[in-house]
Amino acid sequence: MGRAFGWLWAAYGVSALGTALALHAFPLIAILVLHAGPAQVSALAAAGLAVGAVVAVPLGPWVEFRRKRPVMMAMDLARCALLLSVPVAYAFDRLSFAQLLVVSVLVAAADITFTAASGACLKTLVPQEDLLTANGRFEATMWTTTMIGPPLGGAAIGLLGPVVTVVADAVSYLLSAVGIRAMGGKKETRPVRPETGNRLRSRDLLDGWRFILTDPVLRPLFLNAVLVNGLIMVAAPLLSVLMLGGLHFAPWQYSLAFAVPCVGGLIGARLSRRLVARFGRHEVLVTAGTLRVCWPLGLAFVGPGVPGLLLVMVVELGLITCIGVFNPVLATYRLEHTPPDRVARTLSAWSISAKLTIAALTALWGLLATLTTTRTAIAVAGLLLLATPLLLGRRPLPTA
């Protein structure tokens, strides 16, 4: 797919590895360095998603009418600088919870902006017939780094201290910016809005949602993806409480239970193109989209010891394999179906909605677990997931 795509893929890979290394860095720093309690740690996680998503709302329309590579490089450099402020403050004994909160919010907003710009860039960079292969490679890379990053990050924190993975994540964004710079792209021109030039209008803020929700094909896929992701993610903190607290699994066992099944994401991503070629895009989306929600209910029945550990690994392997098939097909169709002058706004609206939904459902399920039990809350999420395939629809997807 060319030299430019190779550099884009390399940039994505190095930043994904940095993110995986630092996956649990901020909660650990809050607990180990700032002695934060559960409420503060939960607020840190929720605010990073929710407030960061709100901050990113005007950035989608802004990105739409800018050259995408400079925006991607700017977001990488901004994330690098923001993250480096944490070890600098730590070195001078000036680190505070407020700083962690601000950095978390701004990095989340930059993540959404980068995702919108990179999707628009990919649509123009890769021929349409190669989009599924490209998205499959990104998906496989994401799951590979998720498999190896957190265990390495945990070991690095144990050996070198609580901020070392934050430094690694910052450096990864710097290297990503270098990779994007190496893509070339002298032919990239700045998009211009014919009617108003590049002036941002207030109604532009909702253009992404307006396009998604009025499109009869994207709307059900959007509602399904956002709801499924939210209900899957609400189980993560609850399961950590159940396994590490109630069932007394060791931290290394907990990490192993979620690292090993990530190989399923690599397998699923590699299979997605072959499955689409054999069965068709609509059939793969509906089948993989249905199968991916059949697994999480099993997490409510986790018990102690080796059988419980194996149950978690089997459930996660099945879930992640189906997600690895589904996500590249969905991402490819979304790019194909979205007009070139709406890609950044559409992807930004999609990401913002996903993050806000995860934040809201996580808070709601934390309350549910408090009022009932952890297992009950996990089971309710699993049962609700079983109804989400109804949102996928049965009408075949039109050819882009």
Side-chain angles (χ1 to χ4, degrees), residues 33-81:
V33 177
L34 303 177
H35 309 292
Q40 287 180 300
V41 174
S42 299
L44 180 64
L49 287 174
V51 183
V54 172
V55 170
V57 168
L59 296 178
W62 177 80
V63 169
E64 194 75 79
F65 300 100
R66 299 294 186 279
R67 289 180 297 156
K68 304 305 183 288
R69 284 181 54 251
V71 170
M72 294 160 66
M73 293 169 61
M75 293 302 104
D76 273 337
L77 294 176
R79 288 182 289 186
C80 176

Side-chain angles (χ1 to χ4, degrees), residues 239-317:
L239 194 59
S240 66
V241 171
L242 178 61
M243 293 181 67
L244 296 173
L247 300 176
H248 305 293
F249 283 98
W252 70 267
Q253 292 175 310
Y254 177 78
S255 298
L256 186 69
F258 293 95
V260 173
C262 289
V263 71
L266 175 60
I267 295 170
R270 296 298 298 270
L271 287 175
S272 59
R273 184 180 179 88
R274 298 178 186 178
L275 292 173
V276 168
R278 181 170 181 179
F279 299 106
R281 179 169 52 194
H282 177 73
E283 288 73 15
V284 171
L285 271 178
V286 171
T287 303
T290 301
L291 289 176
R292 82 193 198 281
V293 304
C294 295
W295 300 91
L297 183 59
L299 297 174
F301 302 97
V302 174
V306 174
L309 188 65
L310 291 176
L311 175 60
V312 173
M313 295 175 71
V314 169
V315 168
E316 291 294 323
L317 178 63

Side-chain angles (χ1 to χ4, degrees), residues 165-186:
T165 56
V166 177
V167 175
D169 196 14
V171 172
S172 77
Y173 288 124
L174 179 61
L175 294 176
S176 174
V178 171
I180 293 168
R181 177 69 178 84
M183 288 170 58
K186 295 181 180 179

Side-chain angles (χ1 to χ4, degrees), residues 1 5 118-139 272-273 281 327-329 331-338 400:
M1 286 180 283
F5 174 76
S118 63
C121 177
L122 182 66
K123 184 177 174 72
T124 61
L125 186 68
V126 175
Q128 181 170 309
E129 61 271 17
D130 291 329
L131 276 175
L132 181 53
T133 300
N135 282 311
R137 291 180 181 178
F138 287 141
E139 186 76 10
S272 59
R273 184 180 179 88
R281 179 169 52 194
N327 282 355
V329 182
T332 299
Y333 182 73
R334 186 175 57 194
L335 283 178
E336 291 176 350
H337 190 74
T338 306

Side-chain angles (χ1 to χ4, degrees), residues 233-244 254 361-362 365-370 373-379 381:
M233 292 302 296
V234 298
L238 301 178
L239 194 59
S240 66
V241 171
L242 178 61
M243 293 181 67
L244 296 173
Y254 177 78
L361 290 181
T362 299
W365 252 255
L367 177 61
L368 178 61
T370 302
T373 66
T374 302
R375 288 187 188 274
T376 300
I378 294 173

